[in-house]
């Protein structure tokens, strides 16, 4: 029998909640081990591709992950997106493999959106920041941005964390509670914002303008929303 102590944090959390009967009906876990891509995801492939790959894997005893690869020619918008029936709270997490620390490449992020309020949250990389990961809350209607605002890297922003980019797998998590939201990288909170947030869309994405170099990224062990 497979011991769950070897499984990623997000996967273990889902298994515990499934066995306890506390997982919301719309909760999803995807280890990207199927022979075809999960229809849960709607894919956008503008100057790039999204496909299952055996190059890298984060799931114990697994073989695959979801790979994003950009190509030349224009604005890269490469996404795997899911829209839920209504805005939800809970924990959303993904394992992300950073292949290009110390390089300015593209935005590689997990993002959540609320199509009614304009609220969004993201964690990952920014195309201009070669050294530090980002985490932020943003409202497209009010233009209000919140984030760690750390003095890390060459171009620190409101969204800049104090977590330096490194090659390998990183767990990106969003904990949406009743009156606050916490963003975490590898199990460590990097920003907490107060407020009653909920989201109806989750997106894994790699994007960037035409002048940024091509790159690729790997994603594995998605879970969310878990209550």
């Amino acid at each position: 029998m497979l011991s769950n102590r070897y499984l990623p944090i997000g996967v273990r959390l889902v298994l515990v909640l499934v066995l306890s009967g506390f997982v919301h009906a719309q909760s999803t876990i995807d280890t990207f081990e199927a022979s075809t891509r999960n229809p849960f995801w709607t894919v956008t492939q503008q100057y790039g591709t999204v496909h299952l790959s055996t190059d890298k894997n984060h799931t114990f005893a697994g073989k695959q992950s979801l790979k994003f690869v950009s190509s030349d020619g224009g604005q890269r918008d490469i996404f795997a997106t899911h829209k839920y029936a209504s805005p939800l709270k809970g924990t959303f997490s993904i394992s992300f493999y950073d292949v290009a620390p110390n390089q300015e490449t593209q935005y590689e992020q997990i993002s959540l959106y609320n199509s009614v309020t304009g609220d969004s949250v993201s964690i990952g990389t920014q195309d201009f920041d070669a050294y530090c990961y980002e985490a932020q809350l943003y409202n497209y209607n009010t233009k209000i941005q919140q984030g760690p605002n750390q003095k890390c890297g060459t171009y620190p922003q409101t969204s800049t964390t104090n977590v330096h980019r490194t090659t390998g797998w990183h767990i990106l998590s969003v904990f949406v509670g009743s009156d606050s939201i916490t963003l975490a990288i590898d199990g460590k909170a990097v920003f907490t914002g107060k407020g009653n947030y909920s989201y109806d869309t989750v997106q894994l994405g790699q994007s960037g303008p035409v002048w940024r170099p091509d790159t690729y990224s790997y994603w594995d062990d998605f879970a969310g929303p878990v209550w």
Side-chain angles (χ1 to χ4, degrees), residues 30-39 52-53 64:
D30 193 349
T31 57
F32 303 104
E33 293 298 324
S35 59
T36 58
R37 191 174 58 242
N38 191 335
L52 296 171
S53 170
Q64 297 183 153

Side-chain angles (χ1 to χ4, degrees), residues 96-102 131 133 163-170 186:
F96 159 69
Y97 194 99
D98 191 346
V99 304
N102 305 321
Y131 303 108
Y133 293 109
V163 182
H164 289 264
R165 292 180 59 181
T166 58
T167 301
W169 289 105
H170 298 279
D186 294 329

Side-chain angles (χ1 to χ4, degrees), residues 28-218:
T28 296
I29 180 169
D30 193 349
T31 57
F32 303 104
E33 293 298 324
S35 59
T36 58
R37 191 174 58 242
N38 191 335
F40 175 85
W41 303 105
T42 298
V43 170
T44 301
Q45 300 181 98
Q46 178 174 294
Y47 294 103
T49 61
V50 180
H51 62 274
L52 296 171
S53 170
T54 57
D55 293 350
K56 300 287 183 184
N57 170 67
H58 190 256
T59 308
F60 178 74
K63 297 180 179 180
Q64 297 183 153
S65 60
L66 194 64
K67 185 177 183 179
F68 291 65
V69 183
S70 68
S71 57
D72 294 334
Q75 168 68 32
R76 289 68 161 253
D77 287 323
I78 316 163
F79 302 120
T81 306
H82 178 77
K83 186 168 184 178
Y84 299 94
S86 60
L88 301 171
K89 297 179 182 294
T91 298
F92 300 79
S93 68
I94 188 74
S95 297
F96 159 69
Y97 194 99
D98 191 346
V99 304
N102 305 321
Q103 299 178 52
E104 295 179 7
T105 52
Q106 296 173 24
Y107 293 90
E108 299 164 325
Q109 303 167 337
I110 178 174
S111 303
L112 304 176
Y113 301 93
N114 185 307
S115 60
V116 176
T117 66
D119 287 306
S120 70
V121 57
S122 68
I123 313 178
T125 70
Q126 299 179 116
D127 70 341
F128 58 84
D129 196 336
Y131 303 108
C132 308
Y133 293 109
E134 69 89 25
Q136 64 176 311
L137 306 182
Y138 184 73
N139 187 292
Y140 286 92
N141 295 329
T142 65
K143 310 302 181 186
I144 294 175
Q145 182 186 36
Q146 303 176 65
N149 198 29
Q150 298 293 314
K151 302 303 180 184
C152 181
T154 307
Y155 308 108
Q157 311 281 317
T158 300
S159 56
T160 304
T161 73
N162 61 1
V163 182
H164 289 264
R165 292 180 59 181
T166 58
T167 301
W169 289 105
H170 298 279
I171 299 176
L172 312 179
S173 306
V174 182
F175 306 93
V176 186
S178 59
D179 58 2
S180 66
I181 181 171
T182 297
L183 285 61
I185 299 175
D186 294 329
K188 180 180 179 180
V190 293
F191 181 74
T192 296
K194 298 296 183 181
N196 182 19
Y197 297 98
S198 60
Y199 301 95
D200 59 19
T201 303
V202 59
Q203 183 175 84
L204 312 178
Q206 181 177 304
S207 63
V210 65
W211 61 84
R212 293 296 186 191
D214 282 322
T215 191
Y216 56 97
S217 59
Y218 300 94

